[in-house]
Amino acid sequence: VRGLKDAMTRDILKLLDELSDTTASIYFVPDIFVTDLMQGRMDSVGDIPVIAVCESPFTGTNSMVKRASDIILSLLILLLISPLMLLIALGVWLTSPGPIIFRQRRYGLNGEEIHIYKFRTMVQDAPAKGGTITFGRDPRITRVGQVLRKIKIDELPQLINVLRGEMSFVGPRPEVRRYVELFCEDYK
């Protein structure tokens, strides 16, 4: 593919050189379909024409529609599952001392630090009792926590994050702050 692009570039430059002495206007329209760009379109940044290869869904009308759907869906789901969430909260509270909700620092959109919410599935102060990464039969995971993790409902409180605009149903998942910082240190 690179050889084909190099040949096309040479041909274009040769043609432009041959037409440089003409009085005619010359316009170059790249064929964005040849480059197989799924979201490609022509645009301009200031006075400079550009090809938009991939655009963020977080701008313009798309952003408003996305936010409205996040609000409506999260409110509806929270209302429907509130009895289940109360039962889970009661289970966490009765079986293990400590807070019901676990707050975890993560990086959201544009690197902004947020706190995401989960039902607590580990003993209180779990990181102080041995590492930060969990493993198969981690003794720090409570009995209720094992069930919540197995059926993947420990993250239901993140609907509150969606309602607050810190997360979205569709979009990048916020990254754990510690792992982002470790990654950044490795690639300085």
Side-chain angles (χ1 to χ4, degrees):
V1 174
R2 184 169 172 85
L4 178 61
K5 287 181 182 179
D6 290 342
M8 289 172 61
T9 302
R10 279 193 304 274
D11 290 346
I12 291 168
L13 291 173
K14 181 180 175 195
L15 179 62
L16 289 174
D17 185 53
E18 291 173 3
L19 295 172
S20 64
D21 290 333
T22 185
T23 57
S25 298
I26 302 169
Y27 297 94
F28 175 69
V29 179
D31 185 354
I32 61 174
F33 300 107
V34 167
T35 57
D36 194 26
L37 301 174
M38 296 290 291
Q39 300 175 13
R41 68 175 184 81
M42 296 296 294
D43 204 346
S44 62
V45 176
D47 293 334
I48 302 171
V50 295
I51 298 175
V53 177
C54 183
E55 292 183 288
S56 170
F58 302 110
T59 58
T61 307
N62 289 341
S63 175
M64 291 184 289
V65 170
K66 186 176 191 324
R67 182 69 190 123
S69 63
D70 280 347
I71 290 170
I72 293 167
L73 278 172
S74 59
L75 276 173
L76 183 63
I77 294 170
L78 278 168
L79 285 171
L80 290 173
I81 66 168
S82 58
L84 173 64
M85 290 181 68
L86 286 171
L87 284 174
I88 294 169
L90 185 63
V92 171
W93 181 68
L94 290 173
T95 60
S96 173
I100 294 167
I101 299 293
F102 171 72
R103 286 179 16 158
Q104 186 178 47
R105 293 185 333 183
R106 294 205 178 184
Y107 286 118
L109 185 62
N110 298 323
E112 182 179 323
E113 187 175 299
I114 62 171
H115 287 93
I116 65 160
Y117 304 108
K118 297 180 177 189
F119 284 115
R120 185 174 52 82
T121 60
M122 300 180 84
V123 296
Q124 188 174 358
D125 300 324
K129 296 178 181 175
T132 57
I133 297 176
T134 59
F135 51 91
R137 290 270 183 206
D138 194 321
R140 299 171 299 159
I141 300 174
T142 65
R143 282 181 295 146
V144 169
Q146 288 174 348
V147 173
L148 295 177
R149 285 175 174 227
K150 185 174 184 174
I151 58 177
K152 301 193 186 302
I153 58 173
D154 58 316
E155 296 185 356
L156 287 177
Q158 289 178 19
L159 288 166
I160 295 165
N161 292 105
V162 173
L163 189 58
R164 291 174 57 169
E166 299 166 332
M167 291 177 65
S168 180
F169 282 107
V170 179
R173 182 171 172 77
E175 291 298 329
V176 176
R177 184 173 183 244
R178 174 176 152 68
Y179 299 132
V180 170
E181 290 167 355
L182 287 172
F183 179 79
C184 288
E185 283 178 23
D186 285 347
Y187 289 95
K188 280 185 180 178

